[in-house]
Amino acid sequence: MRCSRRLSSVLFLAWTLATAGAAVAASNVVRVPQDVATLDLAISRVVDGGVVELAAGTYAAPATGFRITNPGKAFSIRAAAGAIVALDGGGSHPVFVLRNTARAKSGLIVFENLSFRNGGGGSPALSPGVTVDLGEARFVGCRFENNIGAAGADGGGVKVRTGSDVSFMDCGFTGNSSPIAGGAMVIDGSSVEVLGGSFVNNRVNSSNHDPSSHGGAISVTDGTLRVSDALFQGNQAGWVGGALFAIGTWTATPATPHSSVSITRSTFQGNSIAPQPCCPPPGDPTGGAIHVEDQTTLDVKDSFFVDNVAQFGGAIDSYRALVNVLGSTFQGNRGSLTAPTQAVGGAISALSNDAVDSTTAGGLNPRPAGVTVTDSLLEGRHGVGAGAGPVGSSGGCILAIGDEQHLYGLGGLTPEGTLATNRAPVAIASSVFHDCDVAPGATVGAGSGGAIDGSLVALTLDDSLVLDSDAGQGSGGGLFLTGESAARISRTTFAGNTADVSGGAIFAAGSDLQINGSRFTANEVSPGVAEPISLSRGAALFTSPLGAGRPRVGNGDVSGVVTGSIFSQDLGLAIWDVDAGASPANTVQYNGNDFFETTFGDRVYLDTFADPNRFGSNVGGLNSLVVSRFGGPTTVKSTVPNRALAAPPAAGSLKVIPSAGSPSLRSAPFLAYAWTGGAATLNGVPLPRHEGVVEDATPGGYTLAVDGVTVAAVTLQASRCTSDPTLCLANDRFHLAVQWELATGEHGTGHPIALSGDTGYFWFFSPANVELVVKVLDGRSLNGDFWVFYGALSNVKYTLTVTDTATGAVKTYTNRQNHLASLADTSAFPATGASLAASPAPAPPRAPANPCAAGPTELCLGGRFRVGVAWRTATAAGLGTARTLTSDTGYFWFFNPANVELVVKILDGRTVNNHFWVFYGALTNVEYTLTITDTLTGRTKTYFNPQGTMASAADTSALPGP
């Protein structure tokens, strides 16, 4: 909208809408204390769809809390405009209870801009703050502060239970606590969505807490939690889950989550496990930020974990649960090396060992834990202080262990399953491990697995970089693999990793190791020591059969093939194979690899059985080596010749890791590199080391050149604020989200697509089906406010939430079921501060006899309908410029390409009423005529919008078939 030409009509429209809205709303609003004296009385008086509005002040809750029970209606309770309203429990009793005997006996209850504080007491069924039991509620812009649970009470701020459905939009939880679970919130058999907001300094480890206290901020049992754009900071638990705990009870369908947790674009900072001296936990402290257990799936996307602390899983810990991480950053997560227990899995720990309990009764063998990590950065040492030191004693960034107890029949269990079913699956792709260091701890004599430590795992590691990771006084600087594991490593670079004892890059014992197309550069064994070849146990790779005394179901061999890989400029002997000359044996083969190693002249390889004097072999010796064992297999070490290079090969890798986390605290973007050759530059700047990361990398293109030849190029895109489920507008200042609901009770979140800096849309059910178009304009120069416009192409019930991130102000707009609307709110933000019974399918692409074609001023929708619009103001006229969104939806701009004015959608409803359906939504109140032509039949349909009117329309009999 071009404000200078249409200001008067827009302001007139806004005044008309506001006046009409006020007249309608007056009869539906019950004000406290102007109309009735108390909140309880207002709740009893408000009509279905009405509003209870509270004047500024503190409202003391009665001894049993404010209560809503089986109201038989839906309504809102909100603070009056500009008012600060607190509902207070006085520190001794609950604040608010929404409890029904059946979900059908209450509609949606909405709470807006209220503070729930100083709740006390509580019980296993009642929160000291707010309880929602068999209900549906939405909290918008609310605060939950200093609600403290008594002994046995969980869910300090909120308890959601018994099939409830609750959402929180831009709410804050601060200083809430429980002695057992969910300092801020407990979710029990219910569904919760958190959009924006924060969880700060909530805890379940206050004095005399339960030893098993879990979920410093949130605890989930057999429920669903979806979180986006939220901050979790400084939350504490006494045993597991410093910020978040989730457990799913095992069912007959273990592949289906019984608890599901989704974390998107959120930040976890400084959460921890910190038991009090009174109440030592029953096991190792785990999951500094998140702990998930049993039939639970955790999905993490575009999130940031920094400086979280626990002995097992500094950031994330899993016990038999599934963890999926995408596009996220981990920095400085760790455990204490001075604590009287191991510190393992600095970023992620995944354990699978079963015990004799109800979950294994009757011979049951629950699945092992599983981890996937994609497009992510895991960095150990970070910043200054404790976070700058080694991050653990095993698995500096990831530790994963399969179910050894059930496989081998340990701990009182009967042997169950196979290697394949008991291995923990770990899949890592397109990720970077940097400076993930381990060192001896108080209970451990050596560190293992600087970056990754896996025992009884099925590991895939593709297209990744493992850099500068160290195993102090131990083995496997980059990767430590043992316990009959199986690893498939492709196109991955190990550079600058070190180990004091063996395997600067990789240590593998009693496992199968398949490595293809990978690179080993500048790795070192016994760092800083000029050891003789007889002690240089694999700067790049150390392999060994399974040690004596270790349980096994296979033959204990170390096996596999290393093929098509580069070993260059490592410090020490590149490869060391341990072989006893009998079973178990070392049958690893080396085929078609390139070597440039100079530490010991031309020697690159040693087999301890074939070369008992530890002289080492050059590449020719490796190519010709055949190991014949006493009563064991004969191994031809190379079936495809390896090559000795006269100079280091020119090769390298680049990866970008975009910024991640909540809007209030995001990680920096990173660029990671590794190279081998004579000299290298990054965008023309010389690189003094063979590997490293660039923090705070600026958007743009990057080129890695080695010896004057470009070997890798990447582009770091500018940070995108808009990401499912948040739409960012007006220079990313305003964040918008939509929740929709059908008459059947099915509900979900809208998916955003940005069109311009000021405009975007949401789709609900299909990416091809646009439902709601929204625009935010800066009108401060005209009336001191930001303006919100939206136009609907859907008559589904939805709530649009708009948050001003500069001031924290929140505005919501709700569309009732079967209503189609456009809206112009020109005072939205002061500068300071059911679907149709049968859903039609999108009009399919067709090849009509007289096909239409999209042009500068015309859309072609459904392959058949030509759509154009002519607009007129008091001083000018013209044709709308067309832009296609999907095969059945498009939009027009009139005055400026960044300013969307009209969105049109055509659907094929012939299976319902033998007509094509036309929907349009306006973000403008200028005069226009919309014309739609069916190029197959020649029929036309026009829609006229008079000056000063802003409308949406749904015409389900627009044009007849065929």
Side-chain angles (χ1 to χ4, degrees), residues 194 218 225-230 232 244 262-266:
V194 175
I218 301 177
L225 171 64
R226 299 184 299 275
V227 178
S228 60
D229 299 298
F232 292 78
L244 198 159
S262 173
I263 308 292
T264 302
R265 217 171 36 257
S266 294

Side-chain angles (χ1 to χ4, degrees), residues 612-639:
N613 294 317
R614 310 294 197 264
F615 290 136
S617 300
N618 59 19
V619 173
L622 172 60
N623 288 339
S624 62
L625 181 61
V626 178
V627 180
S628 299
R629 303 177 180 86
F630 307 114
T634 296
T635 303
V636 178
K637 278 294 181 176
S638 300
T639 60

